[in-house]
């Protein structure tokens, strides 16, 4: 490899006054320092910092996990206790929707409520759970309707009423028309 | 420009052992000493005395090559030790106390004290003291450049390069000063060093040689033609003392120390005792140093010769003030030292970079290792904890569900309890926290009292009447209304 000719640099520095030479050397020094910082120091220190953070996070995670493990028995007991409420997370969305529809129909017939229609309103996944939305329209006596709503809220399938609208079917009628939006939570 | 002063790091180099060779080329003899100096031991390894009578410089170089050729290529310092009879000394006063100024004045005046021109001489000096606050007394030492140059050339021909050219008598004076611990002496001490053909007369005071004179009578003359030379010797001695006192340098010496060639030293002592009015003390240099058996053998063979002048200056080398190296050699040496210093600085900076690099690299490596070790060691714990966390989330979901379920019906129940008999509801709408009621009442006041009741209930807040409209239904006056409100979970639920 041919080395660059540095003679011109020597000539250039030689022509400078003492003060200018000092400024030139200081500039070269500062620029070298800057390059050193940008090329080596900063990347190395940021790598060390990132590794430090990773180690700290990992240690915090391990501490949290150890605390969790200390509560293992309590969690398993709770899990067994509430297992009846938890559906099968392995089923597909369609299968889950069908299951909910079936259950709604069963609860409606148990409460003598006439189901006009039921429509799936989508499936939303948020974090560690899935929400299956169903809109239904039904007709029944007010008492039966309330009974149906009670059965919905007390089912073992984590079904909840999100919104409802109650109106009399006709003027002076004792039959009420009801639109209900329900959702079921499935833990993943 | 940014060179680090590597001389500050000499401490480390001093820990290593150092070899020195002293060469004294005077007249018919070539004296060589070889010393090994380590932090805890200073030893005279070998001494040589070679007869160089009628030899030219090439032959002398060959003799040196044969004698110390084995040291070539080793890190040995070769030092030229100039005898007093080869130099001119003068005690003068300089009208300045500034070191730089003194040097300049002496450089200008040195030529006047010798028959040579300024270019033909090498000058150095010892500061004796300041007088009258503006004068400095100095011992000026001048040597012909050709003498030192010749020594350089002979040694270069022999394959060695001289490091320093020192005045032997200064080294000897310091050695005596140190051995006899004369620091506390209030008066100068006279030292008489007797060699084969010459005697050095020097006066030392407060760790400095302040007067030097060479007497051309040695042990050889005093032994062979005793009657003639003893008188001359005493005469020279008295003249030297007079010259010292006449120069108004310091007060008169209070002691005379006799040292040098072992042969005949006793006789000289007797002679001096009978003629000089000074306490005489004889000092054998062989007892002053750690001398090897080999070197002692050489001393024993040449008892008429003193090796004191080739041992003492080497051992006191850093403290000697006179250096008679030619300016060009000094510049060359300085350039070489600067070059070496630059290389050392480079190596030093590079080493720091490498150390810093290794520290940072090891930091990154050890952090990586620590991370991997944490991953590996707690992988089972983490896996198990993840499963437990999932279960915990599920439990949380169920618990939350169980806590909040039935709320929509509770709202309805609450509403049922608040509606009075004169109010007929036509629509109830519940949408999470929004609730609206439409209906008719017999009187407007019934609507407002219904609103009041709703407001008082802990399940409703921000109750607003959207409209109230009066209308006739057959014979009845009815008020249609719509109320909207926000639902609120009671705190104790």
């Amino acid at each position: 490899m041919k080395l660059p000719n540095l003679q011109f640099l020597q000539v250039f520095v030689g022509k400078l006054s003492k003060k200018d030479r000092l400024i030139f050397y200081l500039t070269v020094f500062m620029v070298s320092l800057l390059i050193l910082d940008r090329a080596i120091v900063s990347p190395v220190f940021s790598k060390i910092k990132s590794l430090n953070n990773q180690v700290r996070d990992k240690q915090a995670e391990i501490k949290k996990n150890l605390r969790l493990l200390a509560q293992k028995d309590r969690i398993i007991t709770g899990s067994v206790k509430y297992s009846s409420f938890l559906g099968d997370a392995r089923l597909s969305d369609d299968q889950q929707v069908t299951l909910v529809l079936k259950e709604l129909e069963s609860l409606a017939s148990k409460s003598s409520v006439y189901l006009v229609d039921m429509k799936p309103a989508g499936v939303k996944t948020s974090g560690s759970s899935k929400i299956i939305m169903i809109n239904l329209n039904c007709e029944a006596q007010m008492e039966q309707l309330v009974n149906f709503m009670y059965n919905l809220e007390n089912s073992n399938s984590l079904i909840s009423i999100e919104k409802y609208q109650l109106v009399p079917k006709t003027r002076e009628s004792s039959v009420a028309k009801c639109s209900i939006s329900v959702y079921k939570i499935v833990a993943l | 420009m940014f060179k680090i002063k590597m001389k500050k790091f000499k401490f480390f180099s001093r820990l290593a052992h150092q070899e020195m060779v002293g060469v004294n080329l005077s007249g018919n003899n070539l004296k060589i000493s070889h010393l090994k100096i380590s932090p805890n031991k200073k030893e005279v390894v070998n001494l040589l005395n070679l007869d160089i009578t009628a030899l030219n410089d090439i032959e002398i170089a060959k003799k040196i090559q044969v004698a110390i050729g084995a040291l070539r290529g080793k890190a040995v310092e070769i030092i030229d030790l100039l005898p007093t009879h080869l130099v001119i000394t003068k005690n003068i006063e300089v009208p300045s106390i500034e070191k730089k100024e003194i040097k300049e004045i002496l450089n200008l005046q040195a030529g006047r004290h010798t028959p040579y021109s300024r270019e033909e001489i090498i000058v150095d000096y010892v500061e004796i003291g300041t007088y009258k606050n503006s004068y400095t007394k100095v011992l000026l030492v001048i040597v012909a450049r050709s003498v030192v140059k010749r020594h350089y050339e002979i040694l270069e021909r022999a394959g060695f390069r001289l490091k320093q050219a020192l005045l032997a008598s200064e080294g000897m004076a310091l050695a005596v000063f140190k051995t006899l611990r004369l620091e506390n002496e209030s008066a100068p001490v006279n030292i008489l060093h007797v060699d084969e053909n010459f005697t050095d007369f020097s006066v030392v005071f407060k760790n400095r040689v302040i007067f030097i004179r060479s007497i051309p009578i040695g042990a050889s003359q005093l032994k062979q033609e005793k009657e003639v030379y003893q008188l001359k010797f005493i005469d020279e001695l008295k003249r030297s003392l007079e010259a010292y006192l006449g120069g108004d340098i310091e007060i008169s010496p209070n002691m005379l120390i006799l040292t040098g060639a072992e042969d005949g030293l006793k006789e000289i002592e007797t002679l001096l005792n009978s003629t000089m009015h000074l306490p005489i003390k004889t000092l054998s240099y062989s007892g002053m140093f750690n001398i090897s058996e080999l070197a002692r053998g050489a001393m024993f063979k040449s008892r008429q010769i003193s090796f004191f002048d080739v041992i003492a200056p080497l051992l006191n080398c850093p403290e000697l003030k006179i250096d008679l190296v030619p300016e060009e050699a000094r510049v060359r040496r300085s350039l070489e030292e600067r070059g070496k210093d630059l290389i050392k600085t480079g190596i030093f900076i590079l080493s720091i970079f490498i150390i810093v690099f290794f520290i940072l690299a090891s930091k990154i490596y050890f952090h990586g290792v620590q991370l991997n070790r944490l991953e590996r060691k707690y992988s089972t714990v983490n896996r198990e904890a993840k499963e437990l966390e999932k279960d915990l989330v599920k439990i949380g979901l169920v618990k939350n569900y169980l806590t909040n379920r039935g709320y929509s019906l509770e709202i309805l129940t609450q509403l049922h309890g608040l509606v009075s008999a004169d109010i007929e509801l036509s629509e109830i709408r519940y949408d999470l926290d929004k609730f609206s009621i439409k209906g008719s009442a017999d009187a407007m006041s019934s609507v407002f009292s219904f609103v009041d009741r709703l407001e008082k209930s802990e399940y409703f807040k921000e109750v607003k009447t959207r409209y109230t409209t009066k209308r006739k239904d057959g014979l009845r006056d009815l008020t249609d209304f719509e109320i909207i409100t926000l639902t609120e979970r009671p705190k104790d639920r």
Side-chain angles (χ1 to χ4, degrees):
Chain A
M1 197 177 80
K2 198 181 166 190
L3 285 168
N5 188 2
L6 294 173
Q7 214 165 19
F8 76 94
L9 195 67
Q10 208 175 345
V11 173
F12 169 73
V13 174
K15 279 180 188 171
L16 295 174
S17 70
K18 203 175 172 185
K19 190 182 163 191
D20 290 347
R21 204 176 299 163
L22 185 74
I23 293 168
F24 175 74
Y25 283 136
L26 271 176
T27 313
V28 170
F29 178 70
M30 295 308 286
V31 169
S32 312
L33 217 62
L34 194 76
I35 292 169
L36 195 75
D37 177 59
R38 294 284 154 191
I40 301 167
V41 179
S42 288
V44 168
F45 276 97
S46 82
K47 175 79 183 164
I48 290 173
K49 199 177 168 188
S50 132
L51 277 169
N52 263 336
N53 289 341
Q54 280 182 45
V55 169
R56 207 179 306 127
D57 291 351
K58 185 52 81 183
Q59 282 170 339
E61 191 192 331
I62 288 165
K63 267 187 195 168
K64 193 190 89 185
N65 288 344
L66 288 171
R67 267 204 305 273
L68 216 59
L69 274 180
Q71 300 172 18
K72 188 179 177 181
D73 293 343
R74 200 170 62 83
I75 293 168
I76 289 171
T77 313
S79 195
V80 170
K81 188 179 164 188
Y82 297 117
S83 60
S84 59
F85 287 94
L86 301 164
D88 192 350
R90 287 169 298 179
L91 295 176
S92 70
D93 288 358
D94 288 345
Q95 286 171 317
Q96 298 274 13
V97 170
T98 311
L99 264 179
V100 181
L101 291 174
K102 261 188 196 173
E103 191 166 1
L104 289 175
E105 208 228 330
S106 147
L107 289 171
S109 64
K110 209 167 105 184
S111 309
S112 308
V113 169
Y114 172 59
L115 269 177
V116 179
D117 61 60
M118 280 195 295
K119 282 178 196 163
V123 178
K124 282 183 201 166
T125 307
S126 69
S128 54
S129 61
K130 205 180 337 185
I131 297 168
I132 298 158
M133 315 279 290
I134 306 284
N135 291 334
L136 60 92
N137 288 304
C138 57
E139 290 175 4
Q141 292 289 333
M142 194 60 195
E143 204 179 299
Q144 289 156 343
L145 215 51
V146 170
N147 189 34
F148 174 56
M149 286 164 82
Y150 177 80
N151 287 335
L152 277 176
E153 289 276 10
N154 282 287
S155 82
N156 274 357
S157 314
L158 303 185
I159 294 174
S160 284
I161 296 170
E162 189 189 14
K163 49 189 172 184
Y164 58 76
Q165 187 187 3
L166 284 167
V167 286
K169 190 176 180 187
T170 52
R171 209 174 147 80
E172 306 296 331
S173 165
S174 62
V175 177
K177 268 169 68 178
C178 184
S179 302
I180 310 176
S181 292
V182 295
Y183 64 91
K184 182 186 173 176
I185 301 168
V186 179
L188 295 173
Chain B
M1 185 187 175
F2 305 107
K3 196 176 69 180
I4 294 166
K5 292 203 170 173
M6 295 307 292
K7 278 180 186 166
K8 287 180 182 174
F9 298 90
K10 279 264 169 94
F11 167 75
F12 295 105
S13 67
R14 278 181 196 168
L15 291 177
H17 110 154
Q18 190 186 5
E19 285 194 56
M20 293 173 109
V21 169
V23 180
N24 185 337
L25 273 157
S26 72
N28 301 332
N29 292 78
L30 165 65
K31 285 190 273 187
I32 299 173
S33 64
H34 177 202
L35 274 77
K36 266 188 189 171
I37 299 170
S38 57
N40 47 10
K41 196 179 176 188
K42 292 174 181 176
E43 188 188 21
V44 181
V45 181
N46 201 0
L47 295 169
L48 287 170
N49 175 42
L50 305 171
D51 185 13
I52 52 169
T53 319
L55 292 185
N56 62 28
D57 288 357
I58 298 169
E59 287 162 336
I60 295 171
K62 274 184 187 164
K63 278 222 168 202
I64 294 173
Q65 214 169 13
V66 172
I68 56 167
L71 295 174
R72 267 172 74 178
K74 286 188 182 176
V76 182
E77 288 180 8
I78 310 287
I79 292 166
D80 184 20
L81 300 164
L82 294 164
T84 312
H85 65 266
L86 290 183
V87 300
I88 299 162
T89 60
K90 292 271 176 193
N91 283 87
I92 56 168
E93 285 177 10
V94 179
S96 173
I97 51 168
E98 292 288 325
K99 279 191 189 308
K100 203 178 161 191
E101 233 172 61
I102 293 169
K103 201 167 185 175
E104 280 170 7
I105 293 169
L106 289 175
N107 268 332
L108 283 170
Q109 289 190 352
R112 290 187 202 165
H113 301 282
T114 64
Y116 304 102
S117 69
R118 180 63 188 89
E119 291 73 35
E120 291 171 324
I121 53 170
I122 300 163
V123 180
D124 207 350
Y125 67 95
V126 181
E127 270 184 50
I128 296 170
T130 309
Y131 294 86
K132 296 174 195 170
N133 291 328
S134 56
Y135 280 86
T136 307
K137 283 191 176 182
V138 296
L139 170 66
L140 184 65
V141 181
I142 302 165
V143 66
R145 188 180 291 272
S146 58
V147 172
V148 182
K149 205 178 162 194
R150 180 178 162 249
H151 293 180
Y152 262 81
E153 282 168 359
I154 291 172
L155 280 154
E156 260 179 20
R157 213 168 264 154
F160 295 98
R161 182 179 281 185
L162 273 177
K163 196 195 170 201
Q164 275 177 297
L166 304 173
L167 185 62
S169 51
E170 190 193 9
M172 288 188 285
L174 274 182
V176 171
F177 188 86
K178 278 185 185 173
T179 308
L180 298 178
R181 298 173 191 275
L182 301 173
E183 298 91 346
N184 300 326
E185 283 293 324
S186 54
V189 172
N190 191 184
I191 299 165
L192 211 60
H193 172 248
V194 185
D195 204 351
E196 190 182 16
N197 297 312
F198 293 93
T199 298
D200 286 347
F201 177 97
S202 53
V203 180
V204 62
F205 184 53
K206 287 182 182 166
N207 209 19
R208 268 173 210 188
V209 61
I210 58 172
F211 181 80
I212 300 171
R213 189 167 183 264
S214 178
I215 299 169
I217 300 166
S220 163
Q221 288 88 348
L222 287 169
K223 194 177 179 185
Q224 285 160 11
E225 293 172 68
K226 204 188 283 182
E227 289 74 23
V228 182
Y229 282 103
Q230 269 189 355
L231 282 174
K232 277 191 180 176
F233 184 70
I234 294 300
D235 190 39
E236 281 289 342
L237 212 56
K238 282 180 178 167
R239 279 166 64 183
S240 300
L241 208 53
E242 276 167 20
Y244 164 72
L245 293 170
D248 193 24
I249 302 159
E250 262 296 340
I251 56 168
S252 177
N254 64 355
M255 188 177 8
L256 193 149
I257 291 152
L258 181 64
T259 184
E262 306 274 324
D263 201 12
L265 212 57
K266 276 276 163 215
E267 271 181 55
I268 300 169
E269 190 186 353
T270 319
L271 175 70
L272 293 178
N273 272 327
S274 60
T275 50
M276 301 293 286
H277 304 290
L278 267 174
I280 313 289
K281 187 171 183 175
T282 304
L283 187 68
S284 168
Y285 72 92
S286 61
M288 288 164 67
F289 311 109
N290 178 14
I291 301 171
S292 73
E293 282 306 314
L294 186 68
R296 279 193 191 280
M299 280 168 67
F300 189 74
K301 266 191 226 166
S302 325
R303 282 176 62 81
Q304 268 193 357
I305 290 168
S306 167
F307 287 100
F308 190 32
D309 56 346
V310 284
I311 300 172
L314 298 193
L315 291 171
N316 295 298
C317 205
E319 291 152 75
L320 299 188
K321 295 183 173 57
I322 299 164
D323 186 5
L324 298 167
V325 169
E327 196 54 39
E328 58 269 23
R330 209 192 294 264
V331 169
R332 194 174 63 189
R333 195 171 71 196
S334 147
L335 279 175
E336 280 173 4
E337 275 174 8
R338 275 176 66 183
K340 276 183 195 168
D341 273 359
L342 213 63
I343 292 168
K344 280 181 192 170
T345 310
I347 293 168
F348 183 70
I349 290 169
L350 202 70
S351 309
I352 287 173
F353 269 116
I354 291 170
I355 289 167
V356 170
F357 170 76
F358 271 107
I359 289 170
L360 294 177
S362 63
K363 244 185 166 182
I364 291 174
Y365 173 75
F366 286 119
H367 273 92
V369 167
Q370 192 186 3
L371 204 62
N372 284 336
R373 206 189 53 188
L374 286 174
E375 292 266 18
R376 255 198 327 273
K377 192 176 172 186
Y378 293 98
S379 63
T380 328
V381 170
N382 290 345
R383 223 177 14 250
E384 217 174 317
K386 248 176 208 143
E387 291 300 318
L388 284 175
E389 202 174 359
K390 268 187 192 173
D391 287 352
L392 200 67
V393 170
K394 283 177 187 172
I395 291 168
L397 275 176
V398 176
K399 275 188 174 172
N400 191 41
Y401 169 75
L402 292 176
T403 314
N404 295 319
R405 74 179 177 176
Y407 180 64
S408 57
L409 276 174
E410 272 181 50
I411 299 280
L412 213 53
T413 313
Q414 192 69 17
L415 182 69
H416 182 256
L418 297 172
V419 177
S420 54
D422 57 342
I423 292 174
E424 203 173 274
L425 300 179
S426 59
E427 188 190 290
I428 301 164
R429 195 190 285 262
Y430 167 76
D431 187 353
L432 288 174
D433 59 341
K434 287 175 201 151
F435 196 71
S436 78
I437 310 149
K438 283 182 186 171
S440 317
D442 288 344
M444 199 173 272
S445 58
S446 302
V447 176
F448 293 128
S449 58
F450 178 47
V451 169
D452 279 348
R453 285 196 298 277
L454 282 172
E455 274 174 348
K456 280 174 189 164
S457 163
E458 53 183 355
Y459 279 84
F460 302 104
K461 62 174 182 179
E462 294 179 31
V463 184
K464 284 175 193 160
T465 311
R466 193 173 250 183
Y467 65 83
T468 49
T469 319
K470 283 193 173 178
R471 68 174 166 90
K472 281 244 184 227
D473 184 24
L475 293 173
R476 286 171 68 198
D477 283 329
L478 290 174
T479 305
D480 290 336
F481 65 87
E482 186 182 352
I483 298 166
I484 54 163
T485 175
L486 295 177
T487 59
E488 188 180 38
R489 281 165 205 267
K491 279 169 192 163
D492 56 345
R493 190 177 178 267

